Amino acid sequence: MNITEWTTALRYRPYHLWDKEYTKTLEEQVQQSTWRLDFHIQPKSGLLNDPNGFSYFNGQWHLFYQAFPYGPVHGLKSWFHLTSDNLVDWQAEGVKLEPSTKYDSHGVYSGTALPIGEELLLAYTGNVRDRDWNRLSYQMGALMNTQNQITKIEQPLIPAPPEGYTDHFRDPQVIPYQGGYLLIIGAQTVQEEGKVLVYQGDTYTNWQLLGELDYMPAQAGYMVECPNLVFIKEQPVLIFCPQGMAKEDFAYQNIYPNTFVVGEQFDVNNVTLTNPQPIQNLDEGFDLYASQVINAPDGRVLSVGWAGLPELTYPTDEQNWAHCLSLVKELSIKQNRLYQTQITELEVLRQKATPVAGELGALTPLVKENQQNRYELRLTFSPESHGKLHLFADAENKHPFTLHFDAKNGKITIDRSRVSRPLNEAFGTTRTITIDCKQELTFQIFVDQSICEIFVNDGLHVFTSRVFPEIDQTNLFVEGENGHFSGTHWQLRSTFS
């Protein structure tokens, strides 16, 4: 079966009605893709989007993602389960939460997980459509035991949006707080204003609405998706995705941004982040959304995001798969600024190390004979440096993904205007940030076949971008006018057998 038109009936066909031979053929086709990844989470077939249920439970890390296994489109969603001992090597456990009840008949939508005793609570949004295709939204729960067996809680945790809000009411986050629990959720008022609502409960089945969270002066568009409240050394950080936010209130280029606000304290009585800093981009690249962030039991604050964006198309759509997850990052606050750094566990991927160093000048290969787009690169540039780093380049550097850097004047731009497979150009082909001038500049870069994650100045800024090179586009070039550089290039192993 070759599907050329995804009708509503196909998108919402129950999983058990899909032909097994079709699924097998689909997975075989996907495996032939030259853009398959070597150390990022990706779907076996079909679509992956929001990360869900990120947690540590029963001696392992657990992570789910929203999945539609039958094509690169948004259809009947389920949760696909993965486990890991090190946050790097992930074992696929299969689809674990499927639409199966009257409260989630049209999709198991996004949510979070929280260990409670000997069980892992999975909180999610059940999506339902009535005969007239009107949306109904239920906040649901399920419990996973130590054998990774999941039982759904029969009745909704929250049976309906509160009065004054539409059924765009989704993505619950449950966290422990003051001996009980808080539930943070995205919502939309009947006036179509995006809000974050906060509930409180003494148990995970008994919730009382505290009200709308007050966290910034501007209106957050017409909907807020995937709100996560975490505490970094007791300082509250809200990470969220506003849809339709006015660009005069916040400058962004992606169709929808992934953002954060740092407050001084969380005032639960007044449902407020006190003295919030201005809203900022969590990621400055082309492709990151729906980040899920947790306070991990080892004291770290960890995040993972969807490397993709809603409502946009990508070259792998033609090969019947779409999207991946970002690497797991650690979040910290230094001098009242949010940093995102690569987790130390990623060092287990390192294989051959090659030192790199030189003076900036004419175009030159940074690493000779780089055979594939699977590497980690750390570079430090001197404070007067000004130049370009070209990734995913062919031998003649005709179609690179380019990183422009100007340490002297404090400016960094990523540019995918020349890549061989342009994508989503309506939202621009460059992203630019400003940094402190005349300071040493560092990049930690992870390249994995069709994704690039760039950490700037030890994680003060991060760029996540999808790039879809041809087979021969594995070269790295550097050029510039002033300054010098040094660093290390590591070949990385695959996490897939």
Side-chain angles (χ1 to χ4, degrees):
M1 179 170 62
N2 184 24
I3 299 173
T4 57
E5 180 183 357
W6 281 95
T7 63
T8 299
L10 279 174
R11 289 173 188 260
Y12 288 89
R13 172 185 285 179
Y15 282 25
H16 69 276
L17 294 181
W18 285 95
D19 182 71
K20 291 183 179 180
E21 192 62 33
Y22 167 77
T23 303
K24 179 182 177 182
T25 301
L26 199 65
E27 292 177 359
E28 290 174 350
Q29 177 193 10
V30 169
Q31 286 303 315
Q32 301 304 311
S33 172
T34 59
W35 296 314
R36 293 294 284 175
L37 304 160
D38 284 325
F39 57 92
H40 284 75
I41 292 170
Q42 61 194 332
K44 290 176 66 177
S45 64
L47 179 131
L48 165 158
N49 60 306
D50 300 6
N52 297 145
F54 188 22
S55 53
Y56 188 80
F57 170 69
N58 193 33
Q60 280 191 309
W61 297 98
H62 295 262
L63 182 58
F64 301 77
Y65 62 78
Q66 258 195 334
F68 180 66
Y70 305 106
V73 296
H74 292 273
L76 188 63
K77 297 291 181 66
S78 59
W79 279 23
F80 192 96
H81 184 203
L82 305 113
T83 56
S84 176
D85 294 326
N86 64 358
L87 292 168
V88 177
D89 296 279
W90 292 93
Q91 175 67 40
E93 304 290 349
V95 172
K96 285 296 182 68
L97 269 181
E98 287 189 36
S100 62
T101 76
K102 64 181 181 181
Y103 296 116
D104 60 18
S105 58
H106 290 71
V108 175
Y109 278 17
S110 290
T112 55
L114 181 67
I116 299 178
E118 296 299 311
E119 296 177 303
L120 183 69
L121 171 69
L122 307 177
Y124 67 95
T125 296
N127 181 50
V128 175
R129 297 282 188 166
D130 65 15
R131 290 184 179 179
D132 297 321
W133 210 245
N134 296 308
R135 182 193 303 270
L136 300 171
S137 181
Y138 303 94
Q139 307 319 309
M140 305 301 298
L143 294 170
M144 187 173 79
N145 65 20
T146 54
Q147 286 74 50
N148 292 346
Q149 298 168 329
I150 295 176
T151 302
K152 290 183 178 179
I153 298 171
E154 291 186 3
Q155 296 301 314
L157 307 182
I158 301 176
E163 186 177 352
Y165 297 86
T166 74
D167 277 286
H168 286 285
F169 177 62
R170 57 183 175 267
D171 311 335
Q173 180 206 25
V174 178
I175 60 175
Y177 190 77
Q178 294 182 345
Y181 305 97
L182 294 178
L183 186 149
I184 318 297
I185 189 166
Q188 181 189 67
T189 69
V190 292
Q191 291 79 28
E192 297 188 352
E193 296 178 337
K195 300 293 182 181
V196 175
L197 300 186
V198 180
Y199 287 75
Q200 189 168 30
D202 53 359
T203 71
Y204 59 80
T205 58
N206 181 29
W207 297 101
Q208 300 296 322
L209 177 63
L210 297 181
E212 295 176 359
L213 181 63
D214 182 3
Y215 58 96
M216 64 177 183
Q219 174 55 45
Y222 58 79
M223 179 61 192
V224 174
E225 292 195 316
C226 304
N228 280 208
L229 179 64
V230 291
F231 295 86
I232 303 177
K233 294 183 178 179
E234 300 184 0
Q235 192 166 1
V237 180
L238 181 72
I239 294 172
F240 60 106
C241 297
Q243 295 188 326
M245 189 171 182
K247 293 188 178 181
E248 55 266 28
D249 292 329
F250 175 58
Y252 64 95
Q253 288 182 261
N254 292 350
I255 182 172
Y256 307 122
N258 203 156
T259 64
F260 72 92
V261 169
V262 177
E264 282 188 3
Q265 293 181 321
F266 173 59
D267 181 350
V268 68
N269 295 321
N270 294 300
V271 202
T272 300
L273 294 188
T274 61
N275 297 322
Q277 296 179 13
I279 182 175
Q280 298 179 62
N281 274 314
L282 184 68
D283 192 280
E284 304 287 356
F286 295 96
D287 303 285
L288 192 82
Y289 195 75
S291 290
Q292 185 153 114
V293 191
I294 62 168
N295 282 100
D298 60 10
R300 292 184 293 179
V301 177
L302 302 175
S303 76
V304 61
W306 167 27
L309 287 169
E311 303 171 30
L312 301 184
T313 60
Y314 290 80
T316 56
D317 293 356
E318 302 169 7
Q319 300 172 346
N320 280 319
W321 70 283
H323 312 306
C324 64
L325 297 185
S326 73
L327 297 173
V328 176
K329 307 176 185 73
E330 181 178 354
L331 276 57
S332 60
I333 294 177
K334 303 173 186 177
Q335 297 178 336
N336 225 26
R337 302 175 81 175
L338 184 70
Y339 283 76
Q340 303 173 76
T341 54
Q342 66 280 3
I343 55 173
T344 58
E345 286 92 336
L346 287 169
E347 293 178 7
V348 302
L349 295 176
R350 291 175 178 173
Q351 294 186 317
K352 181 183 177 182
T354 302
V356 294
E359 298 293 324
L360 289 171
L363 184 72
T364 184
L366 184 68
V367 178
K368 294 182 180 180
E369 299 180 358
N370 188 65
Q371 297 297 315
Q372 57 181 321
N373 289 313
R374 187 176 77 211
Y375 58 85
E376 177 186 353
L377 177 64
R378 181 171 179 85
L379 289 174
T380 299
F381 290 91
S382 57
E384 74 279 9
S385 296
H386 179 267
K388 302 174 186 177
L389 180 64
H390 304 283
L391 310 175
F392 301 99
D394 56 18
E396 298 179 350
N397 198 38
K398 289 183 178 179
H399 298 289
F401 176 73
T402 300
L403 173 61
H404 303 256
F405 56 89
D406 185 349
K408 181 179 179 180
N409 295 300
K411 185 177 180 181
I412 298 172
T413 298
I414 57 170
D415 182 354
R416 66 179 183 189
S417 63
R418 296 172 59 199
V419 297
S420 56
R421 299 275 182 145
L423 63 156
N424 302 319
E425 294 174 287
F427 297 94
T429 57
T430 62
R431 299 289 186 269
T432 299
I433 63 169
T434 58
I435 57 174
D436 293 340
C437 300
K438 300 178 181 179
Q439 301 289 322
E440 192 174 73
L441 176 60
T442 65
F443 297 111
Q444 195 89 11
I445 300 171
F446 291 85
V447 167
D448 185 5
Q449 306 302 345
S450 59
I451 187 172
C452 178
E453 297 185 61
I454 303 171
F455 298 80
V456 181
N457 288 346
D458 298 317
L460 182 56
H461 302 281
V462 181
F463 294 91
T464 301
S465 302
R466 298 301 304 273
V467 183
F468 298 89
E470 303 302 330
I471 294 176
D472 63 342
Q473 294 172 354
T474 62
N475 293 280
L476 294 78
F477 295 101
V478 66
E479 62 178 311
E481 300 170 7
N482 301 299
H484 57 271
F485 64 91
S486 62
T488 306
H489 172 280
W490 290 273
Q491 294 178 1
L492 302 180
R493 68 167 171 85
S494 174
T495 61
F496 304 107
S497 58

